[in-house]
Amino acid sequence: MIAKSKVYPYSERANPKPNRVLRVSGKHVSTDFPKGIEYWKMLSEVINHNPVEERDRFFMAMLKPLGIEKGKPFAPDERQKRILEEGARLGHAMSQNLSFESRLSASPAYKHWVNVIIVTTKEGSQQESEYYSELDERVNYLYLGTWPAYAMTLPFPSKGQRYLEAFKDKDGNWLDGAKHYKLHVPANVPVEEFWSITVYDNLTRSMTMNKENRAAISSYDKITKNADGSADLYFGPKAPAGLEANWVDTSASKGWFVWFRFYAPTEPFFDQSWQLSDFERVKR
């Protein structure tokens, strides 16, 4: 579909140049941000190439003593570089903690599943509660993903989508790429469109890499289902015999987490009359 699309300046419409399509399927891709001083260089570049939003004015005041200021080059001295490199390491660790651990009890959906985006109003959320801006909640989503669309936050059935995330198994242990797990997905997933579950590497927050070039399973896939319409999905370094279509290889990721996406969620998602199981450790 993308290869068939054409994008070009309107002025070249009579004879547009062919678009170049870069295919990354099957290639190692990391969406991790730069580390150390390179992180701050990128931040300065982003600020200088984009407008400053009203909500970011306090953050701009905090960045100014660090040498990052709108309309000015970023040129830290050696002392500043040492401080900023340490700050980047600490900030990364704090973001991991806020995203993977301390936030887990903030918005439970099921036992070890939480809402990717905390919704605090009937109209949906701009991540603003009644008396404060949801700073830690923003860290979670921006560290693991990117800024949400309005349709991802609606607390009622819609043509939008809702995401759940899990980092632990039913016993509260971190999901481990060297171990095997089963996830039971009950029948009649509450969606009008489709559902999908994607495995991400803890360190890069990129999709896990494997020789199958398959980090996700969705309702569009030809998976094996149980007699009642439910499905058992498997995650680990080795596929269960005969159930390869229901399996994601996690061996390339020391630790991993998942997002379960509901496209056009229906009422059973919101009233929780439909319940998603936790990951269950299995012996292999």
Side-chain angles (χ1 to χ4, degrees), residues 7 29 44 184 267:
V7 181
V29 176
S44 175
H184 181 71
E267 186 59 34

Side-chain angles (χ1 to χ4, degrees), residues 185-240:
V185 180
N188 303 314
V189 179
V191 292
E192 286 188 8
E193 300 295 337
F194 71 101
W195 59 263
S196 72
I197 182 169
T198 306
V199 177
Y200 297 94
D201 183 275
N202 273 3
L203 295 180
T204 66
R205 288 97 65 216
S206 304
M207 289 186 287
T208 191
M209 304 298 296
N210 51 52
K211 63 182 180 181
E212 292 79 19
N213 187 29
R214 187 168 185 256
I217 301 173
S218 83
S219 54
Y220 283 135
D221 294 326
K222 295 180 180 179
I223 59 176
T224 299
K225 293 185 178 180
N226 302 316
D228 64 354
S230 65
D232 293 319
L233 308 181
Y234 297 88
F235 303 81
K238 185 177 180 181

Side-chain angles (χ1 to χ4, degrees), residues 11 24 31 33 37 62 78 81 91 97 118 160 184 187 193 201 229 239 245 251-253 267 276 278:
S11 60
V24 297
T31 56
F33 52 75
I37 200 65
M62 296 176 188
E78 291 305 312
K81 286 181 181 179
N97 183 59
I118 294 179
H184 181 71
E193 300 295 337
D201 183 275
S251 60
S253 298
E267 186 59 34
L276 183 60
D278 287 316

